[in-house]
Every structure is written in structure tokens, then in C-alpha cells.
């Protein structure tokens, strides 16, 4: 007797320490009940204390990775993580357009928690100009939402305003994540039709948060592939992420990874 699973493609960088990036994406997809596939955008040498070196994938290799996946096991959903160059962004946009990709979840990794920019202005322009309009939802944290809207976010009203502005400007739903706020871990979704939904979250006292953004966006893509509406997919993804944080895994000397397989222990 044969079986099948919804397939989801992660387009992201590799994290050699396993807590974020492609490794977090694939672990999350497995735990959420879908078949994860990969197109690696960069190799990184990193651990919980920082990144030592990065090597971007050659654009033609990345194009082949994406094409080979779609030609054989077309994904029901796609998660896009950190993409650092204009060439890489253009290849992703071209290939996803050619293959009529659906349910695209874009985690716009642009700004570190410290406020430092992680990609160039040219890459940000390519990201917003080419990929945002293709996305079902983008998932900026507060520093990224501030950069996208050129405003400061102080409270929940500001978060909602930013989500609405991003959605209106780029034609995609926007989930502004409140994890960088001081009060709670509430997130807000603004959809293309103007609908706004708040998702309450419990702030978990856990210093090990390496890969939270990767994990949430991959979980959203997984639940979309399983047939959830976008609000329901976000609700389920937040529940999954909360459980991974509550498991209190403690590895490494810095901000460590979460337990992606917590539901099965």
C-alpha cells in the first residue's frame, strides 16, 4: 500500500550547527507532517555564538536545485529564508514564476536583533521588488517591519499600522512578529483584503532562540500545504513554535537551538 505526503520546498541557507536555516526548515517540516525538500542558497560556517564564513551558491546551481524539485515532486508550498544577493533573488523569482509556485511564505531576513542590516540596499530592493509580490505572506520581525515602513514601532498599534502598510504596498499578506517587543509575543496579520487578525502568544523565558524565525515560517508553509487557511496556519505554527521553546533545549555556548521534535518525545 502506497502513501503520499504534501511536499514543501525550503529555499534557504545551510546552518552548520543545525539550529536555523535549512536544517531548522527541514526539521520543522518533518515535525509538522509534510515532506521537506531543499534548495540551498548559501553555505555558512556558524554555531550558536556567531557566523564565521558564508559562501553563496552559484545562481545557476540554485536554479537547477529549484528546477529539479519542481520537475519531479512539485511542492504545494514554498518557504524562502535568507537570500543575500540580487542574483540569488532574481533566480528564485524567475524559477518560482516559471513553475507557477503557490503558497509562498517569505521570511525577509534583513535586520539583526541589534538593528544591524544583514543584506545590502540593492538586495533589499530586489527582495521587495521581485519576491514580496509573489508571496502569500511575508513574516518580518519588528526591526524588519521598521525598515520596510521607515517608521519606528513602539506598541501594538504601530505593529498593526506597519502590517497594513506592508500589505498595501507590496500586495501580499504581512505578519509582523512581536517577539522583539517587550510586553508579549503577540503577532498581527494584515491580509490583502484589509482583514487584520491578532495572534496571542506567550513569552517563553528561554534564552535559546536560535532559528525561531526560520522555524515559524517553515511551520506556516507546512500547515498551508496541509490545507489550512492562512490565519489557521499561523495559529498552528505559533503553537508549534511555543512548544519548541517550552521544551527548554540547552545546547551550545551562545543562543542555542530549540527542540524541533518536542511533540514526539
Amino acid at each position: 500500500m502506497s502513501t503520499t505526503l504534501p511536499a514543501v520546498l525550503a529555499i534557504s541557507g545551510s546552518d552548520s550547527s543545525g539550529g536555523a536555516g535549512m536544517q531548522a526548515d527541514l526539521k520543522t517540516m518533518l515535525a509538522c507532517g509534510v515532506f521537506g525538500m531543499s534548495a540551498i542558497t548559501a553555505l555558512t560556517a556558524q554555531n550558536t555564538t556567531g557566523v564565521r564564513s558564508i559562501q553563496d551558491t552559484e545562481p545557476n546551481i540554485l536554479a537547477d536545485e529549484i528546477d529539479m524539485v519542481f520537475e519531479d515532486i512539485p511542492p504545494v508550498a514554498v518557504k524562502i529564508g535568507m537570500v543575500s544577493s540580487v542574483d540569488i533573488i532574481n533566480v528564485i523569482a524567475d524559477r518560482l514564476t516559471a513553475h507557477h509556485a503557490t503558497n509562498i511564505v517569505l521570511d525577509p531576513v534583513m535586520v539583526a536583533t541589534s538593528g544591524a542590516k544583514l543584506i545590502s540596499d540593492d538586495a533589499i530592493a530586489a527582495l521587495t521588488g521581485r519576491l514580496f509580490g509573489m508571496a502569500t505572506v511575508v513574516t518580518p520581525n519588528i526591526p524588519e517591519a521598521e525598515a520596510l515602513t521607515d517608521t519606528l514601532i513602539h506598541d501594538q498599534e504601530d505593529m498593526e499600522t506597519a502590517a497594513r502598510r506592508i500589505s498595501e504596498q507590496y500586495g501580499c499578506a504581512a505578519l509582523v512578529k512581536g517577539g522583539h517587543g517587550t510586553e508579549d509575543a503577540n503577532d498581527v496579520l494584515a491580509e490583502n483584503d484589509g482583514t487584520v487578525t491578532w495572534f496571542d502568544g506567550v513569552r517563553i523565558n528561554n534564552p535559546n532562540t536560535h532559528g525561531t524565525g526560520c522555524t515559524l515560517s517553515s511551520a506556516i508553509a507546512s500547515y498551508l500545504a496541509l490545507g489550512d487557511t492562512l490565519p489557521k496556519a499561523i495559529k498552528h505554527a505559533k503553537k508549534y513554535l511555543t512548544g519548541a521553546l517550552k521544551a527548554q533545549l540547552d545546547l551550545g555556548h551562545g543562543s542555542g537551538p530549540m527542540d524541533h521534535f518536542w511533540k514526539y518525545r
Side-chain angles (χ1 to χ4, degrees):
M1 179 179 172
S2 63
T3 63
T4 188
L5 284 171
V8 180
L9 172 62
I11 303 175
S12 56
S14 172
D15 171 7
S16 54
S17 66
M22 183 61 71
Q23 285 79 352
D25 296 338
L26 294 177
K27 291 173 185 177
T28 298
M29 290 172 186
L30 179 66
C32 291
V34 299
F35 183 78
M37 304 179 291
S38 65
I40 295 174
T41 60
L43 296 176
T44 70
Q46 65 174 291
N47 58 29
T48 63
T49 66
V51 180
R52 181 168 296 171
S53 55
I54 300 175
Q55 175 65 59
D56 282 340
T57 302
E58 290 291 334
N60 62 307
I61 299 293
L62 179 60
D64 283 345
E65 290 184 87
I66 296 170
D67 287 346
M68 291 294 280
V69 167
F70 273 93
E71 288 166 14
D72 191 35
I73 309 175
V76 182
V78 178
K79 173 262 167 81
I80 304 173
M82 186 173 181
V83 285
S84 58
S85 76
V86 173
D87 288 345
I88 291 289
I89 292 165
N90 285 334
V91 162
I92 294 169
D94 289 344
R95 301 326 302 151
L96 293 185
T97 299
H99 293 293
H100 308 289
T102 58
N103 292 322
I104 298 172
V105 180
L106 173 59
D107 184 19
V109 185
M110 297 164 26
V111 184
T113 305
S114 64
K117 278 201 309 184
L118 299 174
I119 62 176
S120 68
D121 287 339
D122 286 348
I124 291 174
L127 187 68
T128 56
R130 297 220 58 196
L131 290 180
F132 271 47
M134 299 172 60
T136 301
V137 62
V138 296
T139 61
N141 58 30
I142 285 177
E144 288 153 354
E146 288 178 333
L148 288 166
T149 59
D150 197 28
T151 57
L152 293 176
I153 295 174
H154 300 288
D155 52 31
Q156 290 197 347
E157 184 179 348
D158 292 341
M159 285 176 62
E160 183 171 322
T161 299
R164 287 182 183 274
R165 287 184 58 182
I166 294 167
S167 179
E168 290 167 2
Q169 183 169 352
Y170 298 109
C172 56
L175 179 72
V176 175
K177 300 176 294 189
H180 286 75
T182 56
E183 298 173 12
D184 49 48
N186 296 343
D187 303 339
V188 61
L189 172 70
E191 297 184 73
N192 295 350
D193 63 1
T195 302
V196 170
T197 307
W198 277 94
F199 301 89
D200 293 339
V202 179
R203 183 170 294 281
I204 308 300
N205 184 19
N206 185 346
N208 296 310
T209 57
H210 187 53
T212 50
C214 309
T215 298
L216 181 68
S217 54
S218 290
I220 294 170
S222 298
Y223 287 115
L224 286 174
L226 289 165
D228 280 357
T229 62
L230 180 57
K232 187 174 288 188
I234 293 169
K235 180 181 178 180
H236 286 155
K238 281 182 66 68
K239 182 178 179 181
Y240 169 75
L241 177 61
T242 298
L245 287 166
K246 279 184 175 179
Q248 297 290 342
L249 182 66
D250 188 17
L251 295 173
H253 295 90
S255 179
M258 298 165 293
D259 185 356
H260 289 93
F261 221 56
W262 63 271
K263 287 197 292 187
Y264 302 95
R265 300 198 195 287

